[in-house]
Coordinates of all heavy atoms in Angstrom, one line a residue:
M537 N 0.8 -1.2 0.0 CA 0.0 0.0 0.0 C 0.9 1.2 0.0 O 1.8 1.4 0.8 CB -0.9 0.0 1.2 CG -1.8 1.1 1.3 SD -2.9 0.6 2.6 CE -3.9 1.9 2.6
C538 N 0.6 2.1 -0.8 CA 1.4 3.3 -1.0 C 0.7 4.4 -0.3 O -0.5 4.4 0.0 CB 1.4 3.6 -2.5 SG 2.8 4.5 -3.0
I539 N 1.4 5.5 0.0 CA 0.8 6.6 0.7 C -0.2 7.3 -0.2 O -1.2 7.8 0.3 CB 1.9 7.7 1.0 CG1 2.9 7.0 2.1 CG2 1.3 8.9 1.6 CD1 4.0 7.9 2.5
R540 N -0.1 7.2 -1.5 CA -1.1 7.8 -2.4 C -2.4 7.1 -2.3 O -3.4 7.6 -2.5 CB -0.6 7.8 -3.9 CG 0.5 8.9 -4.1 CD 0.9 8.9 -5.5 NE 1.8 7.8 -5.8 CZ 2.1 7.3 -6.9 NH1 1.6 7.8 -8.0 NH2 2.9 6.3 -7.1
D541 N -2.3 5.8 -2.0 CA -3.5 5.0 -2.0 C -4.2 5.0 -0.6 O -5.1 4.3 -0.3 CB -3.2 3.6 -2.4 CG -2.7 3.5 -3.8 OD1 -3.1 4.4 -4.6 OD2 -2.0 2.6 -4.1
S542 N -3.6 5.8 0.3 CA -4.1 5.8 1.7 C -5.5 6.4 1.8 O -5.8 7.4 1.1 CB -3.1 6.6 2.5 OG -3.7 7.1 3.7
P543 N -6.4 5.8 2.6 CA -7.7 6.3 2.7 C -7.8 7.6 3.5 O -8.7 8.4 3.5 CB -8.5 5.2 3.5 CG -7.5 4.4 4.2 CD -6.2 4.6 3.4
V544 N -6.7 7.9 4.3 CA -6.6 9.1 5.1 C -6.1 10.3 4.2 O -5.0 10.1 3.7 CB -5.8 8.9 6.4 CG1 -5.7 10.2 7.2 CG2 -6.2 7.8 7.2
P545 N -6.8 11.3 4.1 CA -6.3 12.4 3.3 C -5.1 13.1 4.0 O -5.0 13.2 5.2 CB -7.4 13.4 3.2 CG -8.3 13.1 4.4 CD -8.1 11.7 4.7
I546 N -4.1 13.4 3.2 CA -2.9 14.1 3.7 C -3.0 15.5 3.4 O -3.3 16.0 2.3 CB -1.6 13.5 3.0 CG1 -1.5 12.0 3.3 CG2 -0.4 14.2 3.4 CD1 -0.4 11.3 2.5
H547 N -2.8 16.3 4.5 CA -2.9 17.8 4.4 C -1.5 18.3 4.0 O -0.5 18.1 4.6 CB -3.3 18.4 5.7 CG -3.3 19.8 5.7 ND1 -4.2 20.6 5.0 CD2 -2.5 20.8 6.3 CE1 -4.0 21.9 5.2 NE2 -2.9 22.0 6.0
H548 N -1.5 19.0 2.9 CA -0.3 19.7 2.4 C -0.5 21.2 2.7 O -1.5 21.8 2.2 CB -0.1 19.5 0.9 CG 0.1 18.1 0.5 ND1 1.3 17.5 0.8 CD2 -0.6 17.1 0.0 CE1 1.3 16.2 0.4 NE2 0.1 16.0 -0.1
P549 N 0.4 21.8 3.4 CA 0.3 23.2 3.7 C 0.5 24.0 2.4 O 1.2 23.6 1.5 CB 1.4 23.5 4.7 CG 2.4 22.4 4.6 CD 1.6 21.2 4.1
G550 N -0.2 25.1 2.3 CA 0.0 25.9 1.1 C 1.3 26.6 1.1 O 2.2 26.4 2.0
P551 N 1.5 27.5 0.2 CA 2.8 28.2 0.1 C 2.9 29.1 1.3 O 2.0 29.7 1.8 CB 2.6 29.0 -1.2 CG 1.2 29.0 -1.5 CD 0.6 27.8 -0.9
V552 N 4.1 29.2 1.8 CA 4.4 30.0 2.9 C 4.7 31.4 2.5 O 5.4 31.7 1.6 CB 5.7 29.5 3.7 CG1 6.1 30.3 4.9 CG2 5.5 28.0 4.1
A553 N 4.0 32.3 3.2 CA 4.1 33.7 2.8 C 5.1 34.4 3.9 O 4.8 34.4 5.1 CB 2.8 34.4 2.8
Y554 N 6.2 34.9 3.4 CA 7.1 35.5 4.3 C 6.7 37.0 4.4 O 6.7 37.7 3.4 CB 8.5 35.4 3.8 CG 9.0 33.9 3.9 CD1 9.1 33.1 2.8 CD2 9.4 33.4 5.2 CE1 9.5 31.8 2.9 CE2 9.8 32.1 5.3 CZ 9.8 31.3 4.2 OH 10.3 30.0 4.3
L555 N 6.5 37.5 5.6 CA 6.2 38.9 5.8 C 7.5 39.7 5.9 O 8.6 39.2 6.4 CB 5.4 39.1 7.1 CG 4.1 38.4 7.1 CD1 3.5 38.5 8.5 CD2 3.2 39.0 6.1
P556 N 7.5 40.9 5.5 CA 8.8 41.7 5.6 C 9.0 42.0 7.1 O 8.1 42.0 7.9 CB 8.5 43.0 4.8 CG 7.0 43.0 4.8 CD 6.5 41.6 4.8
A557 N 10.3 42.1 7.4 CA 10.7 42.4 8.8 C 10.1 43.7 9.2 O 10.0 44.7 8.5 CB 12.2 42.4 8.9
Q558 N 9.6 43.6 10.5 CA 9.0 44.9 11.0 C 10.1 45.8 11.3 O 11.1 45.5 11.9 CB 8.2 44.5 12.3 CG 7.0 43.6 12.1 CD 5.9 44.3 11.3 OE1 5.7 45.5 11.4 NE2 5.2 43.6 10.4
H559 N 9.9 47.1 11.0 CA 10.9 48.1 11.3 C 10.7 48.5 12.8 O 9.7 49.1 13.1 CB 10.7 49.3 10.4 CG 11.7 50.4 10.7 ND1 13.0 50.2 10.8 CD2 11.5 51.7 10.9 CE1 13.6 51.3 11.1 NE2 12.7 52.3 11.2
I560 N 11.7 48.2 13.6 CA 11.7 48.6 15.0 C 12.6 49.9 15.1 O 13.8 49.8 14.8 CB 12.2 47.5 15.9 CG1 11.3 46.3 15.8 CG2 12.2 48.0 17.4 CD1 11.8 45.1 16.5
P561 N 12.0 51.0 15.5 CA 12.8 52.2 15.6 C 13.9 52.0 16.7 O 13.6 51.5 17.7 CB 11.9 53.3 15.9 CG 10.7 52.6 16.5 CD 10.6 51.2 15.9
A562 N 15.1 52.5 16.4 CA 16.2 52.5 17.4 C 15.8 53.4 18.5 O 15.2 54.5 18.3 CB 17.5 52.9 16.7
P563 N 16.2 53.1 19.7 CA 15.9 54.0 20.8 C 16.6 55.3 20.6 O 17.8 55.3 20.2 CB 16.3 53.3 22.1 CG 17.3 52.2 21.6 CD 16.9 51.9 20.2
L564 N 16.0 56.4 21.0 CA 16.6 57.7 20.9 C 17.7 57.8 21.9 O 17.6 57.2 23.0 CB 15.6 58.8 21.1 CG 14.4 58.8 20.1 CD1 13.4 59.9 20.5 CD2 15.0 59.2 18.7
P565 N 18.8 58.4 21.5 CA 19.9 58.6 22.5 C 19.3 59.4 23.7 O 18.7 60.4 23.6 CB 20.9 59.3 21.8 CG 20.3 59.9 20.6 CD 19.1 59.1 20.3
V566 N 19.6 58.8 24.9 CA 19.2 59.4 26.1 C 20.3 60.3 26.7 O 21.5 59.9 26.6 CB 18.8 58.3 27.1 CG1 18.3 58.9 28.4 CG2 17.7 57.4 26.5
R567 N 20.0 61.4 27.3 CA 21.0 62.2 28.0 C 21.6 61.4 29.1 O 21.0 60.6 29.7 CB 20.4 63.5 28.5 CG 20.0 64.4 27.5 CD 19.4 65.7 28.0 NE 20.0 66.1 29.3 CZ 19.7 67.1 30.0 NH1 18.8 67.9 29.6 NH2 20.3 67.4 31.1
D568 N 22.9 61.7 29.3 CA 23.6 61.0 30.4 C 23.1 61.5 31.7 O 23.0 62.7 32.0 CB 25.1 61.4 30.3 CG 26.0 60.7 31.3 OD1 25.5 59.6 31.7 OD2 27.1 61.1 31.6
P569 N 22.6 60.5 32.5 CA 22.0 60.9 33.8 C 23.0 61.2 34.9 O 23.1 60.5 35.9 CB 21.1 59.7 34.2 CG 21.9 58.5 33.5 CD 22.5 59.1 32.3
W570 N 23.8 62.2 34.7 CA 24.9 62.5 35.6 C 24.5 62.8 37.0 O 25.1 62.4 37.9 CB 25.9 63.6 35.0 CG 25.2 64.9 34.8 CD1 24.6 65.3 33.6 CD2 25.0 65.9 35.7 NE1 24.1 66.5 33.8 CE2 24.3 67.0 35.1 CE3 25.4 66.1 37.0 CZ2 24.0 68.2 35.7 CZ3 25.1 67.3 37.7 CH2 24.4 68.3 37.0
P571 N 23.3 63.5 37.2 CA 22.9 63.7 38.6 C 22.6 62.4 39.3 O 23.0 62.2 40.5 CB 21.7 64.5 38.5 CG 21.7 65.2 37.1 CD 22.4 64.2 36.3
A572 N 22.0 61.4 38.6 CA 21.8 60.1 39.2 C 23.1 59.4 39.5 O 23.2 58.8 40.6 CB 20.9 59.3 38.3
R573 N 24.0 59.5 38.6 CA 25.3 58.8 38.9 C 26.1 59.5 40.0 O 26.7 58.8 40.8 CB 26.2 58.8 37.6 CG 25.6 57.9 36.5 CD 26.6 57.7 35.4 NE 27.2 59.0 35.0 CZ 28.2 59.0 34.2 NH1 28.7 57.9 33.7 NH2 28.7 60.2 33.8
L574 N 26.0 60.8 40.1 CA 26.6 61.5 41.2 C 26.0 61.1 42.6 O 26.6 60.9 43.6 CB 26.6 63.0 41.1 CG 27.5 63.6 40.0 CD1 27.3 65.1 39.9 CD2 29.0 63.3 40.5
L575 N 24.7 61.0 42.5 CA 23.9 60.6 43.8 C 24.3 59.2 44.2 O 24.6 58.9 45.3 CB 22.4 60.8 43.5 CG 21.6 60.4 44.7 CD1 21.8 61.4 45.9 CD2 20.1 60.4 44.3
A576 N 24.3 58.3 43.2 CA 24.7 56.9 43.5 C 26.1 56.8 44.0 O 26.4 56.1 45.0 CB 24.5 56.0 42.3
G577 N 27.0 57.6 43.4 CA 28.4 57.6 43.9 C 28.5 58.1 45.3 O 29.2 57.6 46.1
G578 N 27.7 59.2 45.6 CA 27.8 59.8 46.9 C 27.2 58.8 47.9 O 27.8 58.7 49.0
V579 N 26.2 58.1 47.6 CA 25.6 57.1 48.5 C 26.6 56.0 48.8 O 26.8 55.6 49.9 CB 24.2 56.6 48.0 CG1 23.8 55.4 48.8 CG2 23.2 57.7 48.0
G580 N 27.2 55.6 47.7 CA 28.2 54.5 47.8 C 29.4 54.9 48.7 O 29.9 54.2 49.6
I581 N 29.9 56.2 48.5 CA 31.0 56.6 49.3 C 30.6 56.8 50.7 O 31.3 56.5 51.7 CB 31.6 57.9 48.7 CG1 32.3 57.6 47.3 CG2 32.6 58.6 49.6 CD1 32.7 58.9 46.6
G582 N 29.4 57.4 50.9 CA 28.9 57.5 52.3 C 28.7 56.2 53.0 O 29.1 56.1 54.2
S583 N 28.3 55.2 52.3 CA 28.1 53.9 52.9 C 29.5 53.3 53.3 O 29.7 52.7 54.3 CB 27.4 52.9 52.0 OG 26.1 53.4 51.7
A584 N 30.4 53.5 52.4 CA 31.8 53.0 52.7 C 32.4 53.7 53.9 O 33.0 53.1 54.7 CB 32.7 53.1 51.4
G585 N 32.2 55.0 53.9 CA 32.7 55.8 55.1 C 32.0 55.4 56.4 O 32.6 55.3 57.4
L586 N 30.7 55.1 56.3 CA 30.0 54.6 57.5 C 30.5 53.3 57.9 O 30.7 53.0 59.1 CB 28.5 54.5 57.2 CG 27.6 54.3 58.3 CD1 27.6 55.5 59.3 CD2 26.1 54.1 57.8
G587 N 30.8 52.4 57.0 CA 31.4 51.1 57.3 C 32.7 51.2 57.9 O 33.1 50.5 58.9
V588 N 33.6 52.1 57.4 CA 34.9 52.3 58.0 C 34.8 52.9 59.4 O 35.5 52.5 60.3 CB 35.8 53.2 57.0 CG1 37.0 53.6 57.7 CG2 36.1 52.5 55.8
G589 N 33.8 53.8 59.5 CA 33.6 54.4 60.9 C 33.2 53.3 61.9 O 33.7 53.3 63.0
F590 N 32.3 52.4 61.5 CA 31.9 51.3 62.4 C 33.1 50.4 62.7 O 33.3 50.0 63.9 CB 30.8 50.5 61.9 CG 29.4 51.1 62.1 CD1 28.6 51.4 61.1 CD2 29.0 51.3 63.4 CE1 27.3 52.0 61.3 CE2 27.7 51.9 63.7 CZ 26.9 52.2 62.6
L591 N 33.9 50.2 61.7 CA 35.1 49.3 61.9 C 36.1 50.0 62.9 O 36.6 49.3 63.8 CB 35.8 49.1 60.6 CG 37.1 48.3 60.6 CD1 36.8 46.8 61.0 CD2 37.9 48.4 59.4
L592 N 36.3 51.3 62.7 CA 37.3 51.9 63.6 C 36.7 52.0 65.0 O 37.4 51.9 66.0 CB 37.6 53.3 63.1 CG 38.4 53.4 61.8 CD1 38.6 54.8 61.3 CD2 39.7 52.6 62.0
Q593 N 35.4 52.3 65.1 CA 34.8 52.3 66.5 C 34.9 51.0 67.2 O 35.2 50.9 68.4 CB 33.3 52.7 66.3 CG 32.6 52.9 67.6 CD 31.1 53.3 67.4 OE1 30.7 53.4 66.3 NE2 30.5 53.6 68.5
T594 N 34.7 49.9 66.4 CA 34.8 48.6 67.0 C 36.2 48.3 67.4 O 36.5 47.7 68.5 CB 34.3 47.5 66.0 OG1 33.0 47.8 65.6 CG2 34.4 46.1 66.6
L595 N 37.2 48.7 66.6 CA 38.6 48.5 66.9 C 39.0 49.3 68.2 O 39.7 48.8 69.1 CB 39.4 48.9 65.7 CG 40.9 48.7 65.9 CD1 41.2 47.2 66.0 CD2 41.7 49.3 64.7
A596 N 38.5 50.5 68.3 CA 38.8 51.3 69.5 C 38.2 50.7 70.7 O 38.8 50.7 71.8 CB 38.3 52.8 69.3
A597 N 37.0 50.2 70.6 CA 36.3 49.6 71.8 C 37.1 48.3 72.2 O 37.3 48.1 73.4 CB 34.9 49.3 71.5
A598 N 37.6 47.6 71.2 CA 38.3 46.4 71.5 C 39.6 46.7 72.2 O 40.0 46.0 73.2 CB 38.5 45.5 70.3
T599 N 40.4 47.7 71.7 CA 41.6 48.0 72.3 C 41.5 48.6 73.7 O 42.3 48.4 74.6 CB 42.4 49.0 71.4 OG1 41.6 50.1 71.1 CG2 42.8 48.3 70.1
T600 N 40.4 49.4 73.9 CA 40.1 49.9 75.2 C 39.8 48.8 76.2 O 40.3 48.8 77.3 CB 38.9 50.9 75.2 OG1 39.2 52.0 74.2 CG2 38.6 51.5 76.5
G601 N 39.0 47.9 75.8 CA 38.7 46.7 76.7 C 39.9 45.9 77.0 O 40.1 45.5 78.1
L602 N 40.8 45.7 76.0 CA 42.0 45.0 76.2 C 42.9 45.7 77.2 O 43.5 45.1 78.1 CB 42.7 44.7 74.9 CG 43.9 43.8 74.9 CD1 43.5 42.4 75.4 CD2 44.5 43.7 73.5
G603 N 43.0 47.0 77.0 CA 43.9 47.8 77.9 C 43.3 47.8 79.3 O 44.1 47.7 80.3
L604 N 42.0 47.9 79.5 CA 41.5 47.8 80.9 C 41.7 46.4 81.5 O 42.0 46.3 82.7 CB 40.0 48.1 80.8 CG 39.6 49.6 80.6 CD1 38.1 49.7 80.4 CD2 40.1 50.4 81.7
L605 N 41.6 45.4 80.7 CA 41.9 44.0 81.2 C 43.3 43.9 81.6 O 43.6 43.3 82.7 CB 41.6 43.0 80.1 CG 41.8 41.5 80.5 CD1 40.8 41.1 81.6 CD2 41.6 40.7 79.3
V606 N 44.3 44.4 80.8 CA 45.7 44.3 81.2 C 45.9 45.1 82.5 O 46.7 44.7 83.4 CB 46.6 44.8 80.0 CG1 48.0 45.0 80.5 CG2 46.5 43.8 78.9
A607 N 45.3 46.3 82.6 CA 45.5 47.1 83.8 C 44.9 46.4 85.0 O 45.6 46.4 86.1 CB 44.8 48.5 83.6
A608 N 43.8 45.8 84.9 CA 43.2 45.1 86.1 C 44.1 43.9 86.5 O 44.3 43.7 87.7 CB 41.8 44.6 85.7
L609 N 44.6 43.2 85.5 CA 45.5 42.1 85.8 C 46.8 42.6 86.4 O 47.3 41.9 87.3 CB 45.8 41.3 84.6 CG 44.6 40.4 84.0 CD1 45.0 39.8 82.7 CD2 44.2 39.4 85.0
G610 N 47.3 43.7 86.0 CA 48.5 44.3 86.6 C 48.2 44.7 88.1 O 49.1 44.5 88.9
V611 N 47.1 45.3 88.4 CA 46.8 45.7 89.7 C 46.6 44.4 90.6 O 47.1 44.4 91.7 CB 45.5 46.5 89.8 CG1 45.0 46.7 91.2 CG2 45.7 47.9 89.2
I612 N 46.0 43.4 90.1 CA 45.9 42.2 90.9 C 47.2 41.6 91.1 O 47.5 41.1 92.2 CB 44.9 41.2 90.1 CG1 43.5 41.7 90.1 CG2 45.0 39.8 90.7 CD1 42.6 40.9 89.3
Y613 N 48.1 41.6 90.1 CA 49.5 41.0 90.3 C 50.2 41.8 91.4 O 50.9 41.3 92.3 CB 50.2 41.1 89.0 CG 51.7 40.7 89.1 CD1 52.0 39.3 89.2 CD2 52.7 41.6 89.2 CE1 53.3 38.9 89.3 CE2 54.0 41.2 89.3 CZ 54.3 39.9 89.4 OH 55.6 39.5 89.5
L614 N 50.1 43.2 91.3 CA 50.8 44.0 92.3 C 50.2 43.8 93.7 O 51.0 43.7 94.7 CB 50.7 45.5 92.0 CG 51.6 45.9 90.7 CD1 51.3 47.3 90.4 CD2 53.0 45.6 91.0
L615 N 48.9 43.7 93.9 CA 48.4 43.4 95.2 C 48.8 42.0 95.7 O 49.0 41.9 96.9 CB 46.8 43.5 95.1 CG 46.3 44.9 94.9 CD1 44.8 44.9 94.8 CD2 46.7 45.8 96.1
K616 N 48.9 41.1 94.9 CA 49.2 39.7 95.3 C 50.7 39.6 95.7 O 51.0 39.0 96.7 CB 48.9 38.7 94.2 CG 49.3 37.3 94.5 CD 49.0 36.4 93.4 CE 49.5 35.0 93.7 NZ 49.5 34.1 92.5
N617 N 51.6 40.3 95.0 CA 53.0 40.1 95.2 C 53.7 41.2 96.0 O 54.9 41.3 96.0 CB 53.7 40.0 93.8 CG 53.3 38.7 93.2 OD1 53.0 37.7 93.9 ND2 53.3 38.7 91.9
S618 N 52.9 42.1 96.6 CA 53.6 43.1 97.4 C 53.1 43.0 98.8 O 52.0 42.5 99.1 CB 53.3 44.5 96.8 OG 51.9 44.8 97.0
S619 N 53.9 43.5 99.8 CA 53.5 43.4 101.2 C 53.3 44.8 101.8 O 54.0 45.1 102.8 CB 54.5 42.6 102.0 OG 55.7 43.2 102.0
G620 N 52.5 45.6 101.3 CA 52.1 46.8 101.9 C 53.2 47.9 102.0 O 53.4 48.5 103.0
G621 N 54.1 48.0 101.0 CA 55.0 49.1 101.0 C 56.4 48.8 101.4 O 57.3 49.6 101.4
S622 N 56.7 47.6 101.8 CA 58.1 47.3 102.1 C 58.9 47.2 100.8 O 58.4 46.7 99.8 CB 58.2 46.0 102.9 OG 57.9 44.9 102.1
G623 N 60.1 47.6 100.9 CA 60.9 47.6 99.7 C 61.3 46.2 99.1 O 61.7 46.1 98.0
R624 N 61.2 45.2 99.9 CA 61.7 43.9 99.5 C 60.6 43.1 98.8 O 60.9 42.0 98.3 CB 62.3 43.2 100.7 CG 63.5 44.0 101.2 CD 64.3 43.3 102.2 NE 64.9 42.2 101.6 CZ 66.1 41.8 101.7 NH1 66.9 42.6 102.4 NH2 66.6 40.8 101.1
G625 N 59.4 43.4 99.0 CA 58.3 42.8 98.2 C 58.0 41.4 98.7 O 58.5 40.4 98.2
G626 N 57.2 41.2 99.7 CA 56.7 39.9 100.1 C 57.6 39.1 101.0 O 57.4 37.9 101.2
Q627 N 58.6 39.8 101.7 CA 59.5 39.1 102.6 C 58.9 38.9 104.0 O 59.3 38.0 104.7 CB 60.8 39.8 102.7 CG 61.6 39.9 101.4 CD 62.2 38.5 101.1 OE1 62.6 37.8 102.0 NE2 62.3 38.2 99.8
G628 N 58.0 39.7 104.4 CA 57.4 39.5 105.7 C 58.3 40.2 106.8 O 59.0 41.1 106.5
A629 N 58.2 39.7 108.0 CA 59.0 40.4 109.1 C 60.4 40.0 109.0 O 60.8 39.0 108.6 CB 58.4 39.9 110.5
V630 N 61.3 41.0 109.3 CA 62.7 40.9 109.3 C 63.3 41.2 110.7 O 63.0 42.2 111.3 CB 63.3 41.8 108.2 CG1 64.9 41.7 108.2 CG2 62.8 41.6 106.9
N631 N 64.1 40.3 111.2 CA 64.7 40.5 112.5 C 66.0 41.3 112.3 O 66.8 41.0 111.5 CB 65.1 39.1 113.1 CG 63.9 38.3 113.5 OD1 62.9 38.9 113.9 ND2 64.0 37.0 113.5
V632 N 66.1 42.4 113.1 CA 67.2 43.3 113.0 C 67.8 43.4 114.4 O 67.1 43.7 115.3 CB 66.8 44.7 112.4 CG1 68.0 45.6 112.4 CG2 66.2 44.6 111.1
S633 N 69.1 43.2 114.5 CA 69.8 43.5 115.7 C 70.9 44.5 115.5 O 71.6 44.4 114.6 CB 70.4 42.2 116.3 OG 71.4 41.7 115.4
V634 N 70.9 45.5 116.4 CA 71.9 46.6 116.3 C 72.7 46.6 117.6 O 72.1 46.7 118.6 CB 71.2 47.9 116.0 CG1 72.2 49.1 115.9 CG2 70.4 47.8 114.8
N635 N 74.0 46.6 117.5 CA 74.9 46.7 118.6 C 75.6 48.0 118.5 O 76.3 48.3 117.5 CB 75.9 45.6 118.7 CG 75.3 44.2 118.9 OD1 74.3 44.2 119.7 ND2 75.8 43.2 118.4
V636 N 75.5 48.8 119.5 CA 76.1 50.1 119.5 C 77.0 50.2 120.8 O 76.6 49.9 121.9 CB 75.1 51.3 119.6 CG1 75.8 52.6 119.7 CG2 74.1 51.2 118.4
T637 N 78.3 50.5 120.5 CA 79.2 50.7 121.7 C 79.7 52.1 121.6 O 79.9 52.7 120.6 CB 80.4 49.7 121.5 OG1 81.0 50.0 120.3 CG2 80.0 48.3 121.6
N638 N 79.9 52.7 122.8 CA 80.4 54.0 122.9 C 81.9 54.0 123.1 O 82.3 53.6 124.2 CB 79.6 54.7 124.1 CG 79.8 56.2 124.1 OD1 80.7 56.7 123.3 ND2 79.1 56.9 124.9
R639 N 82.6 54.5 122.2 CA 84.1 54.5 122.3 C 84.6 55.6 123.1 O 85.8 55.7 123.3 CB 84.7 54.5 120.9 CG 84.4 53.3 120.2 CD 85.1 53.3 118.8 NE 84.8 52.1 118.1 CZ 85.6 51.6 117.2 NH1 86.6 52.3 116.8 NH2 85.3 50.5 116.6
N640 N 83.8 56.6 123.4 CA 84.3 57.8 124.1 C 84.4 57.5 125.6 O 84.7 58.5 126.4 CB 83.3 59.0 123.9 CG 83.4 59.4 122.5 OD1 84.4 59.3 121.8 ND2 82.3 59.9 122.0
R641 N 84.3 56.4 126.2 CA 84.5 56.2 127.6 C 85.8 55.8 128.0 O 86.6 55.1 127.5 CB 83.5 55.1 128.1 CG 82.2 55.5 128.2 CD 81.5 54.5 129.0 NE 80.0 54.7 128.8 CZ 79.2 54.1 129.4 NH1 79.5 53.1 130.2 NH2 77.9 54.3 129.3

């Protein structure tokens, strides 16, 4: 059985009509939005400055805290290892004996 002898009719599309390309107008040149770019740059620089400010503030707080911690540990060390003003530092009581003879007799 051949396709020509088929009982089902075969649909043949008609000739294809090609339409001409639609003319899309090119966008008109737009003025350079320099105020918007300046504003965006200013916002960006301001944000960067704000970030640097926060970073420096955090660094200052950390160094202040570290300095206070070192000072407190130094005071604790001095209180632990000193004995109330004696020059020898933690020696306790010292026995002193002094012999004085008068040679003018």
Side-chain angles (χ1 to χ4, degrees):
M537 183 169 181
C538 205
I539 294 180
R540 284 184 284 166
D541 298 333
S542 160
V544 178
I546 299 175
H547 174 70
H548 294 286
V552 177
Y554 292 102
L555 298 174
Q558 296 291 328
H559 176 54
I560 300 173
L564 296 175
V566 181
R567 287 181 36 181
D568 186 21
W570 61 269
R573 291 193 313 171
L574 284 178
L575 180 64
V579 168
I581 290 172
S583 299
L586 191 64
V588 169
F590 276 121
L591 176 71
L592 291 177
Q593 184 179 6
T594 304
L595 184 65
T599 54
T600 301
L602 188 61
L604 289 174
L605 179 64
V606 167
L609 290 175
V611 168
I612 290 171
Y613 175 80
L614 288 176
L615 289 175
K616 180 182 174 192
N617 292 331
S618 68
S619 64
S622 68
R624 302 189 62 132
Q627 293 288 327
V630 177
N631 294 328
V632 177
S633 65
V634 178
N635 293 328
V636 177
T637 58
N638 193 350
R639 292 183 179 203
N640 291 330
R641 284 194 194 183

